[in-house]
């Protein structure tokens, strides 16, 4: 394991982009090629069982806006290791904390190479609709049960999640943890899938009916374990917390639906039309899946600022774009962020509000992918 200077770690954070196809007469918005780091567990410690006493929050608010975040230094190597360390909660209530190491893959076929170094406004609650409500409720099983809308699922705590693997759901950390402890109901956390409601009411006692269009209902699957980064748990009391507002849920059994892969968030200027898309279960439209798209207004290394219309309940939704995959010569949608919540920001003395999504950075991709795959060699393509 060779030491790598702190400057290289900074370059890893900022300059991981490999080849990006140039603009030309037949240019297509193309997924960039990234040289990705590796995030691996180093040690695991058993923790006491949590009390599950927190109230579920369907959104988070922060007064630290784009300029505030841009003025915050990027984390050092040691800080990044702390933030990417994580807690795992199991369905029996047991809990562990895992410390991680951050590596880069050597040029040969060998193993990973170690990196090291020595390394205010007023918050307001506000309805998250901007002018004319531009959201679309998705009706009809022909849409709800087809990709990409079928990847959106509902958490029993009230948030939204997105299917990102055969047994895994990506959501916001605040949907299950308030930064201090786990929210009520997390120990028996379930994920709901919209399915057709059969007249005989059968197909499993694990289903609960709901007044949904075209006789749809939620069928629920229990969660086996959850992963939450320590950046959220350590940082929720300050402005860095929102940067790590993401969590991964592992289901007790496969869901058997098509899922959407995660990807590293490209710069906003590389997004098709500068737009993002997401679907969620906004609580002002109970039982409806609500789709929206909008332009990205600003960005920092960890966050995307936009004014997509949204309400509490939509948080945890996977933010995605559709771009050209050069290797396979096809268009592909990927999750590049997680819708987090609302920010009321003082912009040059003028109050302005944004909805915020947490970007999947190269380090976050490496971490989430390892949670899913369990093998860093399967996480080399972002």
């Amino acid at each position: 394991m060779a030491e790598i200077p702190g400057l290289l770690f900074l370059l890893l954070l900022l300059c991981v982009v490999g080849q990006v196809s140039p603009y030309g007469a037949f240019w297509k918005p193309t997924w960039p090629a990234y040289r990705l780091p590796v995030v691996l567990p180093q040690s695991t410690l058993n923790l006491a069982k949590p009390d599950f006493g927190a109230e579920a929050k369907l959104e988070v608010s922060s007064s630290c806006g784009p300029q505030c975040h841009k003025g915050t230094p990027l984390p050092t190597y040691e800080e990044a290791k702390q933030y990417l360390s994580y807690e795992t909660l199991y369905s029996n209530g047991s809990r562990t904390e895992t410390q991680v190491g951050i590596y880069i893959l050597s040029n040969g076929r060998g193993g990973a190479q170690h990196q090291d170094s020595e390394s205010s406004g007023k918050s307001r609650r506000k309805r998250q609709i901007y002018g004319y409500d531009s959201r679309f409720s998705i009706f009809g099983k022909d849409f709800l049960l087809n990709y990409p809308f079928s990847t959106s699922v509902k958490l029993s705590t009230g948030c939204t999640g997105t299917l990102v693997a055969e047994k895994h759901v990506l959501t916001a950390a605040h949907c299950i943890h308030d930064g201090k402890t786990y929210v009520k109901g997390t120990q028996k956390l379930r994920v709901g899938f919209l399915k057709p409601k059969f007249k005989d009411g059968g197909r499993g006692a694990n289903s609960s009916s709901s007044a949904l269009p075209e006789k749809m209902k939620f069928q629920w699957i229990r969660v086996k374990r959850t992963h939450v980064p320590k950046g959220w748990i350590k940082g929720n009391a300050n402005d860095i917390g929102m940067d790590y507002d993401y969590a991964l849920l592992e289901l007790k059994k496969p869901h058997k639906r098509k899922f959407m892969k995660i990807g590293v968030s490209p710069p906003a200027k590389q997004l098709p039309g500068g737009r993002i898309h997401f679907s969620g279960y906004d609580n002002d439209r109970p039982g409806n899946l609500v789709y929206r798209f909008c332009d990205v207004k600003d960005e920092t290394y960890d966050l995307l600022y936009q004014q997509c219309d949204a309400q509490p309940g939509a948080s945890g939704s996977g933010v995605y774009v559709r771009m050209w995959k050069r290797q396979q010569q096809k268009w592909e949608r990927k999750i590049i962020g997680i819708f987090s919540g609302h920010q009321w920001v003082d912009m040059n003395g003028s109050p302005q509000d944004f909805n915020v999504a947490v970007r999947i950075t190269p380090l976050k991709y490496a971490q989430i992918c390892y949670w899913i795959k369990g093998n860093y060699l399967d996480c080399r393509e972002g």
Side-chain angles (χ1 to χ4, degrees):
M1 297 289 187
E3 278 194 3
I4 304 230
L7 177 59
L8 184 53
F9 179 68
L10 182 61
L11 292 175
L12 176 67
L13 286 173
L14 294 175
C15 302
V16 293
V17 180
Q19 297 177 351
V20 180
S21 57
Y23 290 88
F26 302 102
W27 180 83
K28 299 174 182 176
T30 302
W31 287 108
Y34 288 88
R35 188 163 53 250
L36 293 169
V38 174
V39 177
L40 289 177
Q42 299 297 293
S43 61
T44 300
L45 175 69
N46 290 319
L47 302 177
K49 288 186 177 183
D51 61 8
F52 303 101
E55 295 292 334
K57 287 184 177 181
L58 299 188
E59 63 174 347
V60 293
S61 298
S62 171
S63 57
C64 182
Q67 296 309 314
C68 169
H69 273 275
K70 290 174 183 177
T72 303
L74 287 171
T76 65
Y77 172 71
E78 291 299 327
E79 288 172 338
K81 284 203 306 180
Q82 292 176 24
Y83 299 149
L84 292 172
S85 296
Y86 57 92
E87 276 194 15
T88 302
L89 176 70
Y90 297 86
S91 57
N92 64 2
S94 62
R95 181 173 55 129
T96 60
E97 177 180 317
T98 302
Q99 302 295 321
V100 303
I102 302 173
Y103 306 84
I104 60 171
L105 204 62
S106 59
N107 291 330
R109 293 187 177 181
Q113 193 172 29
H114 191 242
Q115 301 178 56
D116 205 350
S117 72
E118 298 179 7
S119 340
S120 111
K122 234 180 187 178
S123 179
R124 306 184 189 179
R125 305 283 286 185
K126 183 180 171 77
R127 190 164 177 265
Q128 296 163 269
I129 302 296
Y130 301 90
Y132 176 75
D133 189 347
S134 60
R135 296 173 297 164
F136 302 87
S137 291
I138 305 300
F139 296 110
K141 63 182 181 182
D142 290 340
F143 289 104
L144 289 167
L145 300 181
N146 285 329
Y147 188 86
F149 303 117
S150 58
T151 64
S152 296
V153 293
K154 186 175 179 66
L155 274 59
S156 55
T157 53
C159 288
T160 299
T162 307
L163 304 176
V164 292
E166 290 87 351
K167 294 174 66 176
H168 292 89
V169 175
L170 188 64
T171 189
H174 74 261
C175 296
I176 61 174
H177 196 292
D178 74 347
K180 296 179 182 178
T181 188
Y182 290 87
V183 305
K184 295 176 182 177
T186 303
Q187 187 175 354
K188 296 182 179 179
L189 186 63
R190 300 179 301 159
V191 171
F193 297 75
L194 274 180
K195 293 196 172 183
K197 182 180 179 182
F198 296 94
K199 289 183 180 179
D200 60 6
R203 297 295 179 102
N206 194 29
S207 304
S208 59
S209 61
S210 175
L212 296 174
E214 297 212 12
K215 296 183 178 179
M216 303 292 286
K217 65 178 179 181
F218 284 109
Q219 187 174 48
W220 300 89
I221 297 179
R222 286 284 303 273
V223 171
K224 178 181 178 180
R225 61 180 175 177
T226 67
H227 299 300
V228 177
K230 296 293 285 184
W232 171 256
I233 297 172
K234 291 176 180 291
N236 192 35
N238 54 49
D239 294 323
I240 197 174
M242 191 173 266
D243 295 352
Y244 295 88
D245 187 12
Y246 59 92
L248 188 76
L249 319 179
E250 181 181 344
L251 304 176
K252 286 195 170 183
K253 62 180 182 179
H255 52 73
K256 299 180 181 179
R257 286 192 180 185
K258 184 178 180 180
F259 56 86
M260 196 178 301
K261 294 178 182 179
I262 63 170
V264 176
S265 173
K269 64 183 180 181
Q270 292 184 20
L271 301 178
R275 290 175 177 168
I276 56 171
H277 309 249
F278 63 96
S279 301
Y281 292 97
D282 302 52
N283 65 1
D284 66 332
R285 300 189 186 182
N288 287 355
L289 180 65
V290 184
Y291 162 76
R292 75 229 77 197
F293 65 90
C294 68
D295 297 341
V296 174
K297 300 295 185 183
D298 205 344
E299 64 181 327
T300 65
Y301 183 74
D302 285 286
L303 301 174
L304 291 173
Y305 294 84
Q306 33 79 16
Q307 292 183 326
C308 283
D309 292 327
Q311 288 281 276
S315 55
S317 301
V319 172
Y320 66 88
V321 294
R322 180 176 175 266
M323 298 176 70
W324 182 251
K325 191 75 173 175
R326 187 189 306 157
Q327 296 91 326
Q328 285 79 33
Q329 290 292 295
K330 66 177 184 178
W331 294 97
E332 184 176 20
R333 293 178 179 88
K334 289 185 183 181
I335 302 292
I336 62 164
I338 305 94
F339 177 55
S340 178
H342 185 67
Q343 286 191 355
W344 187 270
V345 180
D346 184 0
M347 298 284 286
N348 301 318
S350 175
Q352 188 171 358
D353 56 333
F354 293 96
N355 282 329
V356 184
V358 177
R359 299 177 70 174
I360 297 180
T361 63
L363 284 171
K364 292 172 189 171
Y365 176 90
Q367 179 191 54
I368 296 168
C369 183
Y370 185 85
W371 286 343
I372 295 171
K373 304 284 189 179
N375 183 353
Y376 74 88
L377 292 175
D378 294 329
C379 300
R380 304 307 307 143
E381 180 186 328

